[in-house]
Amino acid sequence: MKGELLQSDFFSPFDQGFQKLKRPNFIAFANGSFQVQGINAFILSRQEHGERMCGIVVSYEGRMQDKNEISALSRNEVEFVGEYNQHPIRCHNSWQEWKKEKGKTAEPFYVMFMMKEHMDLRVLKWLRAKYPERPIVVVITTEGLASYVDNAFGQGLFSMREEKGNILCKLAAFLHGTANSLYKGAFAWWLKRQGRLCEFQLLSLLSDGGLRPNRETSQYFRKAFEKSARKREIKIAADHYKNVILFNTQPTFERQECLDADTAVLQKACKMVKDLGLRAVLKPHPAEKNFSRYEKLGYEIDTTANIAQEYLLAAADCKPIAVVGFSSTTLLTANLFWRIPAISLVNCIDLYKIDAHARRAAKKFIIRYKELQAPKDMQEFAALLKKKMEEGKCYGNHQD
């Protein structure tokens, strides 16, 4: 009885949100701006196919700050729930029960998660009980780079790195992270077999381990960012990215153990850009707060209201000559959405000076994503910059 009461309290905010809407047909979970745009992109795709979309967006621990980011829907078509904490791995609902979903023909109910590891199985069980006549469709959008380069072992390493306790606590976190990834992966495979899984992602994994851009999905992500940039009234000056090589950072490389590994490379890269008569502009990750070391390296710092780079590029008519980083997701998005050349400097640093999880992710990304250019050293980087400068100093908005 106590467990049922606790469960009732947990789902009460969801119920309240649904009650304010007219026949809702989705619930979506997100923990930041990029994940919100995955929700917008999926909604836009369904709308283009003639479907009516209406539902609730749930943010992890209140991390969604600007509700205007849900730009694909009007205010009366969406409700918001904050302070969500995911249930553990346990689920008492038999996978065999999902076979019954095949025969349902009513309007589908969509449940959107960022990664298969984020699937909350108790939420799925609750929805199947709440809407017994409607087929439940799980939608996996895109969390970022980790969605494509991590496996179960990588998820375990990430969990271990984030654990603040002693070695036994870290080992337990590793085992739990690995087990969770394996379990959720198996469940996603089962859902796909039942025709109840939609992988709405930017890249597709090929049989040889490579990654192929999903152009159809990418266009909806691009439209989502552009629509949200307009709704948030983000304005970019015409010369904001003129003659610019845009450098990206990421939280991983703000860690103390990574500073020595990337500082020398960034300093050389900045000098090379300036020697070519171009502007070296660095856009810190929104999670970063201290930019002083980048200024000391000679960079112009783009701190435009701490807005994620995708919104800025969406609002800019003139795009940068190239985007440069290590293994940031923004390399992927700049290239996929606007065809801006993306250059990774991962091969130019000593990877063994960074933590194991970041090292594995970086190496896998440059190997798998063939459209990313990864010079083997700084001399090759300089030659690549000259080539990009000759090709053109300004990219206009990409058209489908």
Side-chain angles (χ1 to χ4, degrees), residues 52 94 128 135 231 234 284 299 318 354 358 380:
R52 174 199 63 86
S94 170
R128 291 184 69 247
K231 189 170 183 179
I234 295 173
Y299 287 93
C318 177
I354 67 177
E380 189 172 310

Side-chain angles (χ1 to χ4, degrees), residues 197-256:
L197 181 75
C198 174
E199 295 176 290
F200 195 80
Q201 297 185 292
L202 294 174
L203 301 174
S204 301
L205 184 63
L206 302 175
S207 58
D208 63 358
L211 293 168
R212 178 181 62 198
N214 188 328
R215 296 299 180 191
E216 182 178 0
T217 302
S218 299
Q219 71 167 317
Y220 290 115
F221 270 83
R222 176 178 59 80
K223 289 177 181 178
F225 274 107
E226 291 172 352
K227 192 176 181 70
S228 292
R230 290 193 296 270
K231 189 170 183 179
R232 295 175 62 181
E233 299 182 339
I234 295 173
K235 306 293 184 183
I236 299 296
D239 62 348
H240 190 74
Y241 289 123
K242 187 176 181 180
N243 295 340
V244 164
I245 301 295
L246 183 62
F247 287 78
N248 293 162
T249 64
Q250 59 208 86
T252 296
F253 284 87
E254 195 182 28
R255 294 173 183 269
Q256 187 59 47

Side-chain angles (χ1 to χ4, degrees), residues 118-391:
H118 289 228
M119 287 190 296
D120 193 325
L121 305 184
R122 291 189 181 182
V123 168
L124 297 181
K125 179 181 178 181
W126 173 72
L127 286 170
R128 291 184 69 247
K130 184 175 180 64
Y131 300 110
E133 79 288 355
R134 300 173 67 177
I136 305 298
V137 178
V138 176
V139 181
I140 305 299
T141 59
T142 294
E143 193 226 6
L145 176 61
S147 304
Y148 306 104
V149 299
D150 261 352
N151 52 21
F153 180 72
Q155 287 292 317
L157 285 176
F158 177 78
S159 299
M160 182 173 67
R161 187 184 70 183
E162 296 299 302
E163 173 59 47
K164 305 301 182 183
N166 58 30
I167 186 62
L168 291 178
C169 293
K170 288 183 175 293
L171 178 59
F174 171 79
L175 294 174
H176 181 269
T178 303
N180 180 62
S181 182
L182 290 171
Y183 184 85
K184 298 292 180 63
F187 186 63
W189 172 84
W190 177 258
L191 288 179
K192 194 170 184 176
R193 287 196 56 174
Q194 306 310 308
R196 291 293 174 252
L197 181 75
C198 174
E199 295 176 290
F200 195 80
Q201 297 185 292
L202 294 174
L203 301 174
S204 301
L205 184 63
L206 302 175
S207 58
D208 63 358
L211 293 168
R212 178 181 62 198
N214 188 328
R215 296 299 180 191
E216 182 178 0
T217 302
S218 299
Q219 71 167 317
Y220 290 115
F221 270 83
R222 176 178 59 80
K223 289 177 181 178
F225 274 107
E226 291 172 352
K227 192 176 181 70
S228 292
R230 290 193 296 270
K231 189 170 183 179
R232 295 175 62 181
E233 299 182 339
I234 295 173
K235 306 293 184 183
I236 299 296
D239 62 348
H240 190 74
Y241 289 123
K242 187 176 181 180
N243 295 340
V244 164
I245 301 295
L246 183 62
F247 287 78
N248 293 162
T249 64
Q250 59 208 86
T252 296
F253 284 87
E254 195 182 28
R255 294 173 183 269
Q256 187 59 47
E257 64 267 26
C258 301
L259 295 184
D260 292 340
D262 76 333
T263 296
V265 171
L266 287 174
Q267 189 169 28
K268 290 179 182 178
C270 181
K271 184 178 185 303
M272 287 177 175
V273 169
K274 289 184 173 182
D275 286 346
L276 289 172
L278 303 174
R279 294 168 55 203
V281 176
L282 188 140
K283 176 66 175 74
H285 189 281
E288 291 190 78
K289 305 303 179 186
N290 183 10
F291 312 141
S292 60
R293 82 180 184 102
Y294 301 124
E295 292 171 341
K296 292 176 182 177
L297 297 178
Y299 287 93
E300 297 178 43
I301 308 299
D302 184 349
T303 58
T304 313
N306 292 325
I307 300 171
Q309 178 176 289
E310 288 85 359
Y311 293 103
L312 299 177
L313 292 176
D317 290 328
C318 177
K319 304 294 193 278
I321 294 173
V323 176
V324 181
F326 293 101
S327 59
S328 172
T329 299
T330 50
L331 296 178
L332 168 73
T333 56
N335 183 250
L336 277 177
F337 300 164
W338 298 285
R339 308 294 173 86
I340 301 171
I343 304 172
S344 171
L345 297 177
V346 161
N347 288 330
C348 301
I349 66 174
D350 185 351
L351 289 176
Y352 291 95
K353 288 185 178 180
I354 67 177
D355 63 78
H357 180 265
R359 179 168 65 249
R360 291 180 69 258
K363 292 176 71 173
K364 278 191 175 183
F365 187 45
I366 62 175
I367 292 172
R368 289 185 172 184
Y369 188 53
K370 304 302 183 183
E371 298 191 27
L372 181 72
Q373 300 173 82
K376 65 185 178 185
D377 53 37
M378 296 306 293
Q379 288 71 31
E380 189 172 310
F381 172 65
L384 191 56
L385 285 181
K386 290 179 182 178
K387 181 181 178 182
K388 297 305 173 189
M389 185 174 67
E390 293 169 359
E391 290 175 352

Side-chain angles (χ1 to χ4, degrees), residues 93-101 128 187 190 194:
N93 192 20
S94 170
W95 293 8
Q96 296 296 328
E97 291 294 312
W98 283 86
K99 286 186 175 181
K100 299 176 182 178
E101 299 287 310
R128 291 184 69 247
F187 186 63
W190 177 258
Q194 306 310 308

